[in-house]
Amino acid sequence: MIEWWVDGLLGLMMLWLAWQALSAADLLRAVAMFVTFGLLVAIAWIRLGAPDVAIAEAAIGAGLTGALLLITIRRMEDQRRSGSREKRRAKAD
């Protein structure tokens, strides 16, 4: 009986995190929710008896993809800053 509660709670948490990741206005918050979602998916795979898939999900789904998304956000912010500097220079000339 307790296993049903754990699985149900895990499923509800995954749905909530997926919604939070998709509806977040802040990109950094969205990536954090996505990484957390990936870790919960890895736990779900462990509960389903597939530890090899869980390890792959944690490494690729949460780890590597999360890192790539964070790098992308940083580069976007750098480009935004450099773009605003160029606009200020163009207005000054």
Side-chain angles (χ1 to χ4, degrees):
M1 181 69 172
I2 191 78
E3 289 180 7
W4 283 84
W5 283 100
V6 171
D7 292 341
L9 183 61
L10 183 63
L12 287 175
M13 288 173 55
M14 286 172 42
L15 286 172
W16 182 79
L17 281 169
W19 176 255
Q20 292 295 313
L22 291 172
S23 65
D26 180 31
L27 290 178
L28 191 58
R29 178 180 167 84
V31 170
M33 293 295 161
F34 176 78
V35 169
T36 307
F37 173 77
L39 293 174
L40 284 182
V41 171
I43 292 171
W45 280 117
I46 289 173
R47 300 274 306 142
L48 291 170
D52 52 341
V53 179
I55 292 170
E57 173 64 35
I60 298 168
L64 182 62
T65 306
L68 289 173
L69 288 171
L70 289 174
I71 290 169
T72 302
I73 290 172
R74 183 174 178 185
R75 287 187 181 178
M76 286 172 49
E77 289 175 355
D78 289 345
Q79 285 181 351
R80 191 176 307 143
R81 283 189 209 126
S82 67
S84 63
R85 279 187 229 143
E86 291 174 5
K87 287 179 183 177
R88 279 186 261 143
R89 286 183 195 160
K91 285 182 182 180
D93 292 337

Coordinates of all heavy atoms in Angstrom, one line a residue:
M1 N 0.8 -1.2 0.0 CA 0.0 0.0 0.0 C 0.9 1.3 0.0 O 0.5 2.2 -0.7 CB -0.9 -0.1 1.2 CG -1.8 1.1 1.3 SD -3.1 1.0 0.0 CE -4.1 2.3 0.6
I2 N 1.9 1.2 0.8 CA 2.8 2.4 0.8 C 3.5 2.7 -0.5 O 3.8 3.8 -0.8 CB 3.8 2.3 2.0 CG1 4.6 3.6 2.3 CG2 4.9 1.2 1.7 CD1 3.8 4.6 3.0
E3 N 3.8 1.6 -1.2 CA 4.4 1.8 -2.5 C 3.5 2.6 -3.5 O 4.0 3.4 -4.3 CB 4.7 0.4 -3.1 CG 5.9 -0.3 -2.4 CD 6.2 -1.6 -3.0 OE1 5.6 -1.9 -4.1 OE2 7.1 -2.3 -2.5
W4 N 2.2 2.4 -3.4 CA 1.2 3.1 -4.3 C 1.3 4.6 -3.9 O 1.2 5.4 -4.8 CB -0.2 2.6 -4.1 CG -0.4 1.3 -4.8 CD1 -0.1 0.0 -4.4 CD2 -1.0 1.2 -6.1 NE1 -0.5 -0.9 -5.3 CE2 -1.0 -0.2 -6.4 CE3 -1.5 2.0 -7.0 CZ2 -1.5 -0.7 -7.6 CZ3 -2.0 1.6 -8.2 CH2 -2.0 0.2 -8.5
W5 N 1.4 4.9 -2.6 CA 1.5 6.3 -2.2 C 2.8 6.9 -2.7 O 2.8 8.1 -3.2 CB 1.4 6.4 -0.7 CG 0.0 6.3 -0.2 CD1 -0.5 5.1 0.3 CD2 -1.0 7.2 -0.2 NE1 -1.8 5.3 0.7 CE2 -2.2 6.7 0.3 CE3 -1.1 8.6 -0.6 CZ2 -3.4 7.3 0.5 CZ3 -2.3 9.2 -0.5 CH2 -3.4 8.6 0.0
V6 N 3.9 6.2 -2.6 CA 5.2 6.7 -3.1 C 5.1 7.0 -4.6 O 5.6 8.0 -5.1 CB 6.3 5.8 -2.7 CG1 7.6 6.2 -3.3 CG2 6.5 5.7 -1.2
D7 N 4.6 6.0 -5.3 CA 4.5 6.1 -6.8 C 3.6 7.2 -7.2 O 3.9 8.0 -8.1 CB 4.1 4.8 -7.4 CG 5.1 3.7 -7.3 OD1 6.3 4.0 -7.0 OD2 4.8 2.5 -7.4
G8 N 2.5 7.4 -6.5 CA 1.5 8.4 -6.8 C 2.1 9.8 -6.5 O 2.0 10.7 -7.3
L9 N 2.8 9.9 -5.3 CA 3.4 11.2 -5.0 C 4.6 11.5 -6.0 O 4.7 12.7 -6.4 CB 4.0 11.1 -3.6 CG 4.7 12.4 -3.0 CD1 3.6 13.5 -3.0 CD2 5.3 12.1 -1.7
L10 N 5.3 10.5 -6.4 CA 6.4 10.7 -7.4 C 5.8 11.2 -8.7 O 6.3 12.2 -9.3 CB 7.2 9.4 -7.6 CG 8.3 9.5 -8.6 CD1 9.4 10.5 -8.1 CD2 8.9 8.1 -8.7
G11 N 4.7 10.6 -9.1 CA 4.0 11.0 -10.4 C 3.5 12.4 -10.3 O 3.6 13.2 -11.3
L12 N 2.8 12.8 -9.2 CA 2.3 14.1 -9.0 C 3.4 15.2 -9.0 O 3.3 16.2 -9.6 CB 1.5 14.2 -7.7 CG 0.1 13.5 -7.8 CD1 -0.5 13.6 -6.4 CD2 -0.8 14.2 -8.8
M13 N 4.5 14.8 -8.3 CA 5.7 15.7 -8.3 C 6.3 15.9 -9.7 O 6.6 17.0 -10.1 CB 6.7 15.2 -7.3 CG 6.3 15.4 -5.9 SD 7.5 14.6 -4.7 CE 9.0 15.3 -5.1
M14 N 6.3 14.9 -10.5 CA 6.8 15.0 -11.8 C 5.9 15.8 -12.7 O 6.4 16.7 -13.5 CB 7.0 13.6 -12.5 CG 8.2 12.8 -11.9 SD 8.3 11.1 -12.4 CE 7.9 11.1 -14.1
L15 N 4.6 15.7 -12.6 CA 3.7 16.5 -13.3 C 3.8 18.0 -12.9 O 3.8 18.9 -13.8 CB 2.2 16.0 -13.1 CG 1.8 14.8 -13.8 CD1 0.5 14.3 -13.3 CD2 1.8 15.0 -15.3
W16 N 3.9 18.2 -11.6 CA 4.0 19.6 -11.1 C 5.3 20.3 -11.6 O 5.3 21.4 -12.1 CB 4.0 19.6 -9.6 CG 4.0 21.0 -9.0 CD1 3.0 21.9 -9.0 CD2 5.2 21.6 -8.5 NE1 3.5 23.1 -8.4 CE2 4.8 22.9 -8.1 CE3 6.5 21.2 -8.3 CZ2 5.7 23.8 -7.5 CZ3 7.4 22.1 -7.7 CH2 7.0 23.4 -7.4
L17 N 6.4 19.5 -11.5 CA 7.7 20.1 -12.0 C 7.7 20.3 -13.5 O 8.3 21.3 -14.0 CB 8.9 19.1 -11.6 CG 9.3 19.2 -10.2 CD1 10.3 18.1 -9.8 CD2 10.0 20.6 -9.9
A18 N 7.1 19.4 -14.2 CA 7.0 19.6 -15.7 C 6.3 20.9 -16.0 O 6.7 21.7 -16.9 CB 6.4 18.4 -16.4
W19 N 5.2 21.1 -15.3 CA 4.4 22.3 -15.5 C 5.2 23.5 -15.1 O 5.2 24.6 -15.8 CB 3.1 22.2 -14.7 CG 2.3 23.5 -14.8 CD1 2.2 24.5 -13.9 CD2 1.6 24.0 -16.0 NE1 1.4 25.5 -14.4 CE2 1.0 25.2 -15.6 CE3 1.3 23.4 -17.2 CZ2 0.3 25.9 -16.5 CZ3 0.6 24.2 -18.1 CH2 0.0 25.4 -17.8
Q20 N 5.9 23.5 -14.0 CA 6.7 24.6 -13.6 C 7.8 24.9 -14.6 O 8.1 26.1 -14.8 CB 7.3 24.3 -12.2 CG 6.3 24.3 -11.1 CD 5.6 25.6 -10.9 OE1 6.3 26.7 -10.8 NE2 4.3 25.6 -10.8
A21 N 8.4 23.9 -15.1 CA 9.5 24.1 -16.1 C 9.0 24.7 -17.4 O 9.7 25.6 -18.0 CB 10.2 22.8 -16.4
L22 N 7.8 24.3 -17.8 CA 7.2 24.9 -19.0 C 6.7 26.3 -18.9 O 6.6 27.0 -19.8 CB 6.2 23.9 -19.6 CG 6.7 22.6 -20.1 CD1 5.5 21.7 -20.4 CD2 7.6 22.8 -21.3
S23 N 6.2 26.6 -17.7 CA 5.5 27.9 -17.5 C 6.3 28.9 -16.8 O 5.8 30.0 -16.6 CB 4.2 27.7 -16.7 OG 4.5 27.2 -15.4
A24 N 7.6 28.6 -16.5 CA 8.4 29.6 -15.7 C 8.8 30.7 -16.7 O 9.2 30.5 -17.8 CB 9.7 28.9 -15.2
A25 N 8.7 32.0 -16.2 CA 9.0 33.1 -16.9 C 10.6 33.3 -16.9 O 11.1 33.8 -17.9 CB 8.3 34.4 -16.4
D26 N 11.2 32.9 -15.8 CA 12.6 33.1 -15.7 C 13.3 31.8 -16.3 O 13.0 30.7 -15.9 CB 13.0 33.3 -14.2 CG 14.5 33.4 -14.0 OD1 15.2 33.9 -14.9 OD2 14.9 33.0 -12.9
L27 N 14.2 32.0 -17.2 CA 14.9 30.9 -17.8 C 15.7 30.0 -16.8 O 15.7 28.8 -16.9 CB 15.8 31.3 -19.0 CG 15.0 31.9 -20.2 CD1 16.0 32.3 -21.3 CD2 14.1 30.8 -20.8
L28 N 16.4 30.7 -15.9 CA 17.2 30.0 -14.9 C 16.3 29.1 -14.1 O 16.7 27.9 -13.8 CB 18.0 30.9 -14.1 CG 19.1 30.4 -13.2 CD1 20.1 29.6 -14.0 CD2 19.7 31.4 -12.4
R29 N 15.2 29.6 -13.7 CA 14.2 28.8 -12.9 C 13.7 27.6 -13.7 O 13.5 26.5 -13.2 CB 13.0 29.6 -12.4 CG 12.0 28.9 -11.6 CD 10.9 29.8 -11.2 NE 9.7 29.1 -10.7 CZ 9.6 28.6 -9.5 NH1 10.6 28.8 -8.6 NH2 8.5 28.0 -9.1
A30 N 13.4 27.8 -15.0 CA 12.9 26.8 -15.8 C 14.0 25.6 -16.0 O 13.6 24.5 -15.9 CB 12.6 27.3 -17.2
V31 N 15.2 26.0 -16.1 CA 16.3 25.0 -16.2 C 16.4 24.2 -14.9 O 16.6 23.0 -14.9 CB 17.6 25.6 -16.6 CG1 18.8 24.7 -16.5 CG2 17.5 26.2 -18.0
A32 N 16.3 24.9 -13.7 CA 16.4 24.3 -12.4 C 15.3 23.3 -12.3 O 15.5 22.1 -11.8 CB 16.4 25.3 -11.3
M33 N 14.1 23.7 -12.7 CA 12.9 22.7 -12.6 C 13.1 21.6 -13.6 O 12.7 20.4 -13.3 CB 11.6 23.5 -13.0 CG 11.2 24.5 -12.0 SD 10.9 23.7 -10.4 CE 11.0 25.1 -9.3
F34 N 13.7 21.8 -14.8 CA 13.9 20.8 -15.7 C 14.9 19.7 -15.2 O 14.7 18.5 -15.3 CB 14.4 21.4 -17.0 CG 14.8 20.3 -18.1 CD1 13.8 19.7 -18.8 CD2 16.1 20.0 -18.3 CE1 14.2 18.8 -19.8 CE2 16.5 19.0 -19.2 CZ 15.5 18.4 -20.0
V35 N 16.0 20.2 -14.6 CA 17.0 19.3 -14.0 C 16.4 18.5 -12.9 O 16.6 17.3 -12.8 CB 18.2 20.1 -13.5 CG1 19.2 19.2 -12.7 CG2 19.0 20.7 -14.7
T36 N 15.6 19.1 -12.0 CA 14.9 18.4 -10.9 C 14.0 17.4 -11.5 O 13.9 16.3 -11.0 CB 14.2 19.4 -10.0 OG1 15.1 20.4 -9.6 CG2 13.6 18.7 -8.8
F37 N 13.2 17.8 -12.5 CA 12.3 16.8 -13.2 C 13.1 15.6 -13.7 O 12.7 14.5 -13.5 CB 11.6 17.5 -14.3 CG 10.8 16.6 -15.2 CD1 9.6 16.1 -14.7 CD2 11.2 16.2 -16.4 CE1 8.8 15.3 -15.5 CE2 10.5 15.3 -17.2 CZ 9.3 14.9 -16.7
G38 N 14.3 15.8 -14.3 CA 15.1 14.7 -14.8 C 15.6 13.8 -13.7 O 15.6 12.6 -13.9
L39 N 15.9 14.4 -12.5 CA 16.3 13.5 -11.4 C 15.1 12.7 -10.9 O 15.3 11.5 -10.5 CB 16.9 14.4 -10.3 CG 18.2 15.1 -10.6 CD1 18.6 16.0 -9.5 CD2 19.3 14.0 -10.9
L40 N 13.9 13.3 -10.9 CA 12.7 12.5 -10.5 C 12.4 11.4 -11.5 O 12.0 10.3 -11.1 CB 11.5 13.4 -10.2 CG 11.5 14.2 -9.0 CD1 10.3 15.1 -8.9 CD2 11.7 13.4 -7.8
V41 N 12.6 11.7 -12.7 CA 12.4 10.6 -13.8 C 13.4 9.5 -13.5 O 13.1 8.3 -13.7 CB 12.5 11.2 -15.2 CG1 12.6 10.1 -16.2 CG2 11.4 12.2 -15.5
A42 N 14.6 9.8 -13.1 CA 15.6 8.8 -12.8 C 15.2 8.0 -11.7 O 15.3 6.7 -11.7 CB 17.0 9.4 -12.6
I43 N 14.6 8.6 -10.6 CA 14.1 7.9 -9.5 C 12.9 7.0 -9.9 O 12.8 5.8 -9.5 CB 13.6 8.8 -8.4 CG1 14.9 9.5 -7.8 CG2 12.9 8.1 -7.3 CD1 14.5 10.6 -6.8
A44 N 12.1 7.5 -10.8 CA 11.0 6.7 -11.4 C 11.5 5.4 -12.1 O 10.9 4.3 -12.0 CB 10.1 7.5 -12.3
W45 N 12.6 5.6 -12.9 CA 13.1 4.4 -13.6 C 13.7 3.4 -12.6 O 13.6 2.2 -12.8 CB 14.2 4.9 -14.5 CG 13.7 5.4 -15.8 CD1 13.8 6.7 -16.3 CD2 12.9 4.7 -16.8 NE1 13.2 6.8 -17.5 CE2 12.6 5.6 -17.8 CE3 12.4 3.4 -16.9 CZ2 11.9 5.2 -18.9 CZ3 11.7 3.0 -18.0 CH2 11.4 3.9 -19.0
I46 N 14.2 3.9 -11.5 CA 14.7 3.0 -10.4 C 13.5 2.2 -9.8 O 13.6 1.0 -9.6 CB 15.5 3.7 -9.3 CG1 16.8 4.2 -9.9 CG2 15.7 2.8 -8.1 CD1 17.6 5.1 -9.0
R47 N 12.4 2.9 -9.6 CA 11.2 2.3 -9.0 C 10.7 1.2 -10.0 O 10.1 0.3 -9.6 CB 10.2 3.3 -8.7 CG 10.5 4.4 -7.7 CD 10.3 4.0 -6.3 NE 8.9 3.6 -6.1 CZ 8.6 2.6 -5.3 NH1 9.5 1.9 -4.6 NH2 7.4 2.2 -5.1
L48 N 10.9 1.5 -11.3 CA 10.4 0.5 -12.3 C 11.4 -0.6 -12.5 O 11.1 -1.5 -13.3 CB 10.1 1.3 -13.6 CG 9.0 2.2 -13.6 CD1 9.0 3.1 -14.9 CD2 7.7 1.4 -13.5
G49 N 12.5 -0.6 -11.9 CA 13.4 -1.7 -12.0 C 14.4 -1.6 -13.1 O 14.8 -2.7 -13.6
A50 N 14.7 -0.4 -13.6 CA 15.6 -0.2 -14.7 C 16.7 0.7 -14.2 O 16.8 1.9 -14.6 CB 14.9 0.3 -15.9
P51 N 17.7 0.2 -13.4 CA 18.8 1.1 -12.9 C 19.7 1.6 -14.0 O 20.2 2.7 -13.9 CB 19.5 0.2 -11.9 CG 19.2 -1.2 -12.3 CD 17.8 -1.1 -12.9
D52 N 19.9 0.8 -15.1 CA 20.7 1.3 -16.2 C 20.1 2.5 -16.9 O 20.8 3.5 -17.2 CB 21.0 0.2 -17.2 CG 19.7 -0.5 -17.7 OD1 18.7 -0.4 -17.0 OD2 19.8 -1.2 -18.7
V53 N 18.8 2.5 -17.1 CA 18.1 3.6 -17.7 C 18.1 4.8 -16.8 O 18.3 6.0 -17.2 CB 16.7 3.2 -18.1 CG1 15.9 4.4 -18.8 CG2 16.7 2.0 -19.1
A54 N 18.0 4.5 -15.5 CA 18.0 5.6 -14.5 C 19.4 6.3 -14.5 O 19.4 7.6 -14.4 CB 17.7 5.0 -13.1
I55 N 20.4 5.6 -14.6 CA 21.8 6.2 -14.6 C 21.9 7.0 -15.9 O 22.4 8.2 -15.8 CB 22.9 5.1 -14.6 CG1 22.9 4.5 -13.2 CG2 24.2 5.7 -14.9 CD1 23.7 3.2 -13.0
A56 N 21.5 6.5 -17.0 CA 21.5 7.3 -18.3 C 20.7 8.5 -18.2 O 21.1 9.6 -18.6 CB 21.1 6.4 -19.4
E57 N 19.5 8.5 -17.6 CA 18.6 9.6 -17.5 C 19.3 10.7 -16.6 O 19.2 11.9 -16.9 CB 17.3 9.2 -16.9 CG 16.4 10.3 -16.6 CD 16.0 11.2 -17.8 OE1 15.8 10.6 -18.8 OE2 15.8 12.4 -17.6
A58 N 19.8 10.2 -15.5 CA 20.5 11.2 -14.6 C 21.7 11.9 -15.2 O 21.9 13.1 -15.1 CB 20.9 10.5 -13.3
A59 N 22.5 11.1 -15.9 CA 23.7 11.6 -16.5 C 23.4 12.5 -17.7 O 23.9 13.6 -17.8 CB 24.6 10.5 -16.9
I60 N 22.6 12.0 -18.6 CA 22.3 12.8 -19.9 C 21.1 13.7 -19.7 O 21.2 14.9 -20.0 CB 22.0 11.8 -21.0 CG1 23.2 10.9 -21.3 CG2 21.6 12.5 -22.3 CD1 23.0 9.7 -22.2
G61 N 20.0 13.2 -19.2 CA 18.8 14.0 -19.1 C 18.9 15.2 -18.1 O 18.5 16.3 -18.4
A62 N 19.4 14.9 -17.0 CA 19.5 16.0 -16.0 C 20.9 16.6 -16.0 O 20.9 17.9 -16.0 CB 19.3 15.4 -14.6
G63 N 21.9 15.9 -16.1 CA 23.3 16.5 -16.0 C 23.7 17.2 -17.2 O 23.9 18.4 -17.2
L64 N 23.9 16.5 -18.3 CA 24.5 17.1 -19.5 C 23.5 18.1 -20.1 O 23.9 19.2 -20.5 CB 24.8 16.0 -20.5 CG 25.4 16.4 -21.8 CD1 26.8 17.0 -21.6 CD2 25.6 15.2 -22.8
T65 N 22.3 17.8 -20.3 CA 21.3 18.7 -20.9 C 21.2 19.9 -20.0 O 21.1 21.0 -20.5 CB 19.9 18.0 -21.1 OG1 20.1 16.8 -21.8 CG2 19.0 18.9 -21.8
G66 N 21.1 19.8 -18.7 CA 21.0 20.9 -17.8 C 22.2 21.8 -17.9 O 22.1 23.1 -18.0
A67 N 23.4 21.2 -18.0 CA 24.6 22.0 -18.2 C 24.6 22.8 -19.5 O 25.0 24.0 -19.6 CB 25.9 21.1 -18.1
L68 N 24.2 22.1 -20.6 CA 24.1 22.8 -21.9 C 23.1 23.9 -21.9 O 23.3 25.0 -22.5 CB 23.8 21.8 -23.0 CG 24.8 20.8 -23.3 CD1 24.3 19.7 -24.3 CD2 26.0 21.5 -23.9
L69 N 22.0 23.7 -21.2 CA 21.0 24.8 -21.1 C 21.5 26.0 -20.3 O 21.3 27.2 -20.6 CB 19.7 24.3 -20.5 CG 18.9 23.4 -21.4 CD1 17.7 22.7 -20.6 CD2 18.3 24.1 -22.6
L70 N 22.2 25.7 -19.2 CA 22.8 26.8 -18.4 C 23.9 27.6 -19.2 O 23.9 28.8 -19.2 CB 23.4 26.3 -17.1 CG 22.4 25.8 -16.1 CD1 23.2 25.1 -14.9 CD2 21.6 26.9 -15.6
I71 N 24.7 26.9 -20.0 CA 25.7 27.5 -20.9 C 25.0 28.4 -21.9 O 25.4 29.5 -22.2 CB 26.6 26.5 -21.5 CG1 27.5 25.8 -20.5 CG2 27.4 27.1 -22.7 CD1 28.2 24.6 -21.0
T72 N 23.9 27.9 -22.5 CA 23.1 28.7 -23.4 C 22.5 29.9 -22.8 O 22.6 31.0 -23.5 CB 22.0 27.8 -24.0 OG1 22.6 26.6 -24.6 CG2 21.2 28.6 -25.1
I73 N 22.0 29.9 -21.6 CA 21.4 31.0 -21.0 C 22.5 32.1 -20.7 O 22.3 33.3 -21.0 CB 20.8 30.7 -19.6 CG1 19.5 29.9 -19.9 CG2 20.5 31.9 -18.8 CD1 18.9 29.3 -18.6
R74 N 23.7 31.6 -20.3 CA 24.8 32.6 -20.1 C 25.2 33.2 -21.4 O 25.4 34.5 -21.4 CB 26.0 31.8 -19.5 CG 27.1 32.8 -19.2 CD 28.2 32.1 -18.5 NE 29.3 33.1 -18.2 CZ 30.5 32.7 -17.7 NH1 30.7 31.5 -17.3 NH2 31.4 33.6 -17.6
R75 N 25.3 32.5 -22.5 CA 25.7 33.1 -23.8 C 24.6 34.1 -24.2 O 25.0 35.1 -24.8 CB 25.9 32.0 -24.8 CG 27.2 31.3 -24.5 CD 27.5 30.3 -25.7 NE 28.8 29.6 -25.4 CZ 29.3 28.7 -26.2 NH1 28.7 28.4 -27.3 NH2 30.4 28.1 -25.8
M76 N 23.4 33.7 -24.0 CA 22.3 34.7 -24.4 C 22.4 36.0 -23.6 O 22.2 37.1 -24.2 CB 20.9 34.0 -24.2 CG 20.6 32.9 -25.2 SD 19.1 32.0 -24.8 CE 17.9 33.3 -24.4
E77 N 22.7 35.9 -22.4 CA 22.8 37.1 -21.5 C 24.0 37.9 -22.0 O 24.0 39.1 -22.0 CB 22.9 36.7 -20.1 CG 21.6 36.2 -19.5 CD 21.8 35.8 -18.1 OE1 22.9 35.8 -17.5 OE2 20.7 35.4 -17.5
D78 N 25.1 37.2 -22.3 CA 26.3 37.9 -22.8 C 26.0 38.6 -24.1 O 26.4 39.8 -24.3 CB 27.5 37.0 -23.0 CG 28.1 36.5 -21.7 OD1 27.7 37.1 -20.7 OD2 28.8 35.4 -21.7
Q79 N 25.3 38.0 -25.0 CA 24.9 38.6 -26.3 C 24.0 39.8 -26.1 O 24.1 40.8 -26.7 CB 24.3 37.6 -27.2 CG 25.3 36.7 -27.9 CD 24.6 35.7 -28.8 OE1 23.4 35.6 -28.9 NE2 25.4 34.9 -29.5
R80 N 23.1 39.7 -25.1 CA 22.2 40.8 -24.8 C 22.9 42.0 -24.3 O 22.6 43.1 -24.7 CB 21.1 40.3 -23.8 CG 20.0 41.2 -23.7 CD 18.9 40.7 -22.7 NE 18.5 39.4 -23.1 CZ 18.2 38.4 -22.3 NH1 18.2 38.6 -21.0 NH2 17.8 37.2 -22.8
R81 N 23.9 41.7 -23.4 CA 24.7 42.8 -22.9 C 25.5 43.5 -24.0 O 25.6 44.7 -24.0 CB 25.6 42.3 -21.8 CG 24.9 42.1 -20.5 CD 25.9 41.8 -19.4 NE 25.2 40.9 -18.4 CZ 25.7 39.7 -18.0 NH1 26.8 39.3 -18.4 NH2 25.0 39.0 -17.1
S82 N 26.1 42.7 -24.8 CA 27.0 43.3 -25.9 C 26.1 44.0 -26.9 O 26.5 45.0 -27.5 CB 27.8 42.2 -26.6 OG 27.0 41.3 -27.3
G83 N 24.9 43.5 -27.2 CA 24.0 44.2 -28.1 C 23.5 45.6 -27.5 O 23.4 46.5 -28.3
S84 N 23.3 45.6 -26.2 CA 22.9 46.9 -25.7 C 24.0 47.9 -25.6 O 23.9 49.1 -25.8 CB 22.3 46.7 -24.2 OG 23.3 46.2 -23.4
R85 N 25.3 47.4 -25.5 CA 26.5 48.3 -25.6 C 26.6 48.9 -27.0 O 26.9 50.1 -27.1 CB 27.7 47.5 -25.2 CG 27.9 47.4 -23.7 CD 29.3 46.8 -23.4 NE 29.0 45.7 -22.5 CZ 29.7 44.6 -22.4 NH1 30.6 44.3 -23.3 NH2 29.4 43.7 -21.5
E86 N 26.4 48.0 -28.0 CA 26.5 48.5 -29.3 C 25.5 49.5 -29.7 O 25.7 50.5 -30.4 CB 26.5 47.3 -30.3 CG 27.7 46.4 -30.2 CD 27.5 45.2 -31.1 OE1 26.5 45.1 -31.8 OE2 28.4 44.3 -31.0
K87 N 24.3 49.4 -29.2 CA 23.2 50.3 -29.4 C 23.5 51.7 -28.7 O 23.3 52.7 -29.3 CB 21.9 49.8 -28.9 CG 21.3 48.7 -29.7 CD 20.0 48.3 -29.1 CE 19.4 47.1 -29.9 NZ 18.1 46.6 -29.2
R88 N 24.1 51.6 -27.5 CA 24.5 52.9 -26.9 C 25.6 53.6 -27.7 O 25.6 54.8 -27.8 CB 25.0 52.6 -25.5 CG 23.8 52.5 -24.5 CD 24.2 52.3 -23.1 NE 24.2 50.9 -22.8 CZ 25.1 50.3 -22.0 NH1 26.1 50.9 -21.5 NH2 24.9 49.0 -21.8
R89 N 26.5 52.8 -28.2 CA 27.6 53.4 -29.0 C 27.1 54.0 -30.2 O 27.5 55.1 -30.7 CB 28.7 52.4 -29.3 CG 29.5 51.9 -28.2 CD 30.6 51.0 -28.7 NE 31.2 50.3 -27.5 CZ 31.8 49.2 -27.6 NH1 32.0 48.5 -28.7 NH2 32.4 48.6 -26.5
A90 N 26.1 53.4 -30.9 CA 25.5 53.9 -32.1 C 24.8 55.2 -31.8 O 24.8 56.1 -32.7 CB 24.6 52.9 -32.8
K91 N 24.1 55.3 -30.7 CA 23.4 56.5 -30.4 C 24.3 57.6 -30.0 O 24.0 58.8 -30.3 CB 22.4 56.2 -29.2 CG 21.2 55.5 -29.5 CD 20.3 55.3 -28.3 CE 19.1 54.5 -28.6 NZ 18.3 54.3 -27.4
A92 N 25.4 57.3 -29.4 CA 26.4 58.3 -29.1 C 27.1 58.9 -30.3 O 27.5 60.1 -30.3 CB 27.5 57.8 -28.1
D93 N 27.2 58.1 -31.4 CA 27.9 58.6 -32.6 C 26.9 59.4 -33.4 O 26.5 60.3 -33.7 CB 28.3 57.5 -33.5 CG 29.5 56.7 -32.8 OD1 30.2 57.3 -32.0 OD2 29.6 55.5 -33.2

